[in-house]
């Protein structure tokens, strides 16, 4: 399994919490409006160091993955909103950046130690969550569609479908409760044990990585046996047929915690997002079209502006590169299970590619435009000598 990686997130969106947990400047516009203008990737380092910033010292920090001096040097390349983040957060971010360049995105030593400590000291509340039990976890209609495996069977269970977005009922209410209870139990344990929980990615201040608390194998099986059959049919152009690793976590929103999630793309080829509960108002997902890395900040076409309202037990499946965010909740508490499904084959094959017109809205527009221009070029009559 690869490292949890980092979601590519809106770095400068002014209307959400900054990744360091410090409140970002007051909102100028709504999340969705801002999203139309800008998506950036975080953590994206500055091209040149910030010479005015005096970096922290890391010498006395235990269990650093790399030499302490490297953290001080790299700190000067962090985007300005992260410079004042707590040192622990900066270490986490810098190590995640570096992990991307290690063979197979190997997990950092800190993360290995973190997981081992949980494994040895945390006693799960619901041991049954460590093994996939389709009858207990999934609703009948979803199991039937997977058993059938045809595009027609998947089409039949869709409750909402729009370009690149597919929503269907998936989890039994009891399974939703078990996951939420387990996460709460873990949070309580961590608080009592004074154990610092690693959050799912740089954008979340709450939530937990399910892979870290004993559900990695179960979620891997879920991806291979229950998501791949669907994504092979629904997302063939973005690696949906060759998913081979995942990052599974829950995100939590409530009036006294995170309210919303900034505009971003996921570090995944295909994302499964299932609402677990509980009662809440607001919190709609907003989508703004699928884009490759080069076009991630481009404008959305009007037909790409889509909102989706979560329903407990219901899943939405989308491409990781489908730009999105979550609007503020207006009441209650919302918890969602997120499974970022990745394909190393797809990443390798597309590494040196430049044309993604089979899935990137803007590459496609450019391609059509080029074709149109070419077809408008009138052949010159050959002149006789
Ligand atoms: O809040 C949600 O439902 C979306 C979460 C999300 O997009 C993510 O964690 O990548
Ligand atoms: Fe996301």
């Amino acid at each position: 399994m690869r490292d949890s990686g980092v979601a590519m997130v809106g770095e400068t969106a002014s209307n959400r919490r900054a990744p360091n947990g410090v409140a970002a400047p007051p909102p100028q516009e709504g999340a969705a409006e801002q999203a139309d203008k800008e998506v950036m990737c975080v953590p994206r380092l500055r091209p040149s160091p910030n010479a005015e910033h005096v970096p922290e010292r890391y010498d006395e920090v235990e269990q650093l993955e790399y030499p302490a001096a490297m953290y001080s040097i790299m700190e000067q390349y962090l985007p300005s909103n992260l410079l004042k983040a707590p040192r622990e957060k900066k270490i986490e971010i810098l190590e995640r950046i570096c992990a991307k360049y290690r063979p197979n995105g190997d997990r950092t030593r800190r993360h290995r130690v973190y997981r081992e400590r949980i494994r040895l000291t945390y006693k799960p509340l619901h041991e049954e969550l460590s093994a996939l039990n389709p009858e207990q976890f999934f609703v009948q209609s979803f199991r039937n569609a997977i058993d059938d495996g045809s595009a027609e069977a998947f089409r039949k269970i869709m409750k909402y479908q729009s370009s690149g977005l597919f929503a269907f009922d998936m989890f039994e209410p009891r399974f939703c409760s078990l996951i939420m209870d387990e996460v709460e139990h873990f949070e309580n344990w961590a608080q009592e044990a004074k154990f610092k929980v690693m959050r799912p990615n740089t954008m979340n201040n709450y939530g937990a990585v399910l892979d870290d608390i004993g559900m990695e194998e179960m979620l891997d099986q879920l991806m291979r046996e229950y998501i791949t059959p669907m994504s092979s049919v629904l997302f063939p152009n973005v690696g949906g047929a060759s998913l081979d690793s995942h990052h599974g976590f829950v995100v939590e929103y409530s009036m006294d915690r995170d309210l919303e999630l900034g505009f971003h793309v996921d570090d995944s080829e295909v994302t499964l997002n299932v609402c677990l509960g509980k009662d809440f108002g607001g919190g709609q997902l907003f989508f703004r079209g699928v884009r490759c890395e080069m076009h991630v900040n481009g404008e959305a076409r009007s037909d790409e502006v889509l909102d989706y309202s979560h329903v407990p037990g219901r899943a939405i499946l989308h491409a990781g590169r489908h730009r999105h965010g979550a609007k503020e909740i207006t009441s209650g508490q919302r918890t969602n299970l997120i499974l970022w499904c990745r394909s190393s084959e797809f990443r390798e094959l597309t590494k040196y590619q430049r044309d993604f017109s089979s899935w990137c809205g803007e590459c496609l527009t450019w391609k059509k435009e080029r074709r149109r221009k070419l077809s408008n070029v009138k052949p010159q009559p050959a002149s006789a000598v």
Side-chain angles (χ1 to χ4, degrees):
M1 217 36 45
R2 288 166 48 141
D3 174 48
S4 62
V6 180
M8 304 163 77
V9 294
E11 175 187 297
T12 56
S14 57
N15 54 346
R16 66 165 175 77
R17 249 165 217 286
N20 56 9
V22 178
Q28 310 285 316
E29 303 172 76
E33 288 70 32
Q34 176 70 20
D36 284 338
K37 300 205 178 125
E38 196 159 26
V39 189
M40 288 181 70
C41 304
V42 167
R44 181 179 277 176
L45 298 179
R46 299 158 51 100
S48 54
N50 180 341
E52 277 152 34
H53 175 70
V54 181
E56 299 199 46
R57 294 189 66 92
Y58 292 82
D59 312 68
E60 78 281 15
V61 182
E62 279 174 27
Q63 290 179 338
L64 285 176
E65 191 78 5
Y66 305 97
M70 194 209 75
Y71 294 82
S72 298
I73 294 169
M74 278 188 73
E75 188 183 310
Q76 292 188 297
Y77 288 83
L78 281 176
S80 49
N81 63 327
L82 289 176
L83 290 178
K84 290 206 165 64
R87 188 168 58 179
E88 275 298 301
K89 191 85 193 175
K90 284 191 271 201
I91 293 173
E92 194 184 320
I93 290 169
L94 292 173
E95 289 188 350
R96 281 179 170 186
I97 292 173
C98 293
K100 283 188 180 176
Y101 298 95
R102 293 152 61 119
N104 307 320
D106 203 3
R107 196 170 283 135
T108 63
R109 188 173 51 184
R110 293 167 72 74
H111 193 194
R112 282 196 298 274
V113 171
Y114 171 85
R115 269 222 185 161
E116 193 57 7
R117 227 187 116 192
I118 295 176
R119 198 181 64 79
L120 294 174
T121 49
Y122 171 64
K123 171 126 185 46
L125 179 66
H126 300 300
E127 300 274 1
E128 62 192 282
L129 289 173
S130 63
L132 191 76
N133 186 338
E135 283 75 32
Q136 300 283 318
F137 292 6
F138 305 134
V139 296
Q140 181 81 50
S141 54
F142 175 69
R143 281 185 277 134
N144 290 347
I146 297 297
D147 286 347
D148 181 304
S150 67
E152 176 60 13
F154 298 143
R155 198 190 54 75
K156 272 197 191 139
I157 59 165
M158 291 307 157
K159 297 283 183 195
Y160 169 86
Q161 189 173 339
S162 198
S163 50
L165 301 174
F166 302 93
F168 50 92
D169 290 331
M170 183 173 181
F171 288 165
E172 286 287 356
R174 182 172 170 273
F175 177 64
C176 296
S177 302
L178 290 187
I179 298 267
M180 287 192 287
D181 288 353
E182 187 66 51
V183 171
E184 194 179 321
H185 181 64
F186 174 66
E187 293 279 0
N188 291 340
W189 167 82
Q191 208 164 19
E192 262 172 43
K194 300 204 176 359
F195 182 81
K196 192 167 178 304
V197 176
M198 280 190 186
R199 299 303 169 189
N201 60 55
T202 49
M203 291 181 80
N204 308 108
N205 298 303
Y206 299 91
V209 178
L210 299 177
D211 300 319
D212 289 342
I213 57 173
M215 293 181 223
E216 182 168 27
E217 277 176 32
M218 182 274 280
L219 291 173
D220 204 52
Q221 193 181 347
L222 189 155
M223 178 186 77
R224 282 185 283 105
E225 295 177 10
Y226 289 85
I227 299 306
T228 301
M230 273 191 136
S231 58
S232 307
V233 172
L234 304 176
F235 297 97
N237 296 337
V238 291
S242 53
L243 304 176
D244 58 2
S245 73
H246 77 266
H247 177 47
F249 55 97
V250 292
V251 287
E252 291 177 325
Y253 306 86
S254 65
M255 301 314 286
D256 56 352
R257 294 184 169 192
D258 288 338
L259 292 176
E260 61 180 358
L261 190 69
F263 193 39
H264 66 284
V265 288
D266 297 336
D267 183 5
S268 71
E269 270 58 71
V270 174
T271 294
L272 172 78
N273 176 344
V274 197
C275 184
L276 302 176
K278 301 179 175 173
D279 289 325
F280 56 89
Q284 296 89 345
L285 292 181
F286 57 92
F287 288 90
R288 297 293 183 267
V290 186
R291 292 291 185 278
C292 66
E293 184 64 23
M294 190 164 80
H295 295 129
V296 75
N297 287 319
E299 296 272 310
R301 296 189 313 266
S302 58
D303 61 313
E304 293 177 315
V305 175
L306 299 166
D307 280 3
Y308 168 79
S309 298
H310 283 298
V311 175
R314 188 165 291 173
I316 180 158
L317 204 59
H318 62 81
R321 305 283 327 176
H322 205 144
R323 302 175 299 173
H324 63 286
K327 293 185 182 177
E328 278 192 15
I329 57 161
T330 49
S331 62
Q333 180 188 330
R334 174 165 82 80
T335 305
N336 280 50
L337 180 147
I338 314 283
L339 195 66
W340 285 351
C341 306
R342 297 162 174 155
S343 161
S344 40
E345 182 187 299
F346 178 77
R347 291 183 183 206
E348 202 53 41
L349 289 176
T350 53
K351 224 174 194 171
Y352 305 106
Q353 219 174 301
R354 286 286 167 273
D355 172 15
F356 301 105
S357 50
S358 70
W359 52 269
C360 167
E362 206 161 320
C363 282
L364 182 62
T365 307
W366 278 100
K367 192 173 181 172
K368 282 185 182 160
E369 184 64 8
R370 264 198 315 275
R371 277 217 192 111
R372 197 184 58 77
K373 280 187 181 147
L374 281 175
S375 62
N376 281 347
V377 176
K378 299 228 167 60
Q380 298 295 311
S383 50
V385 184

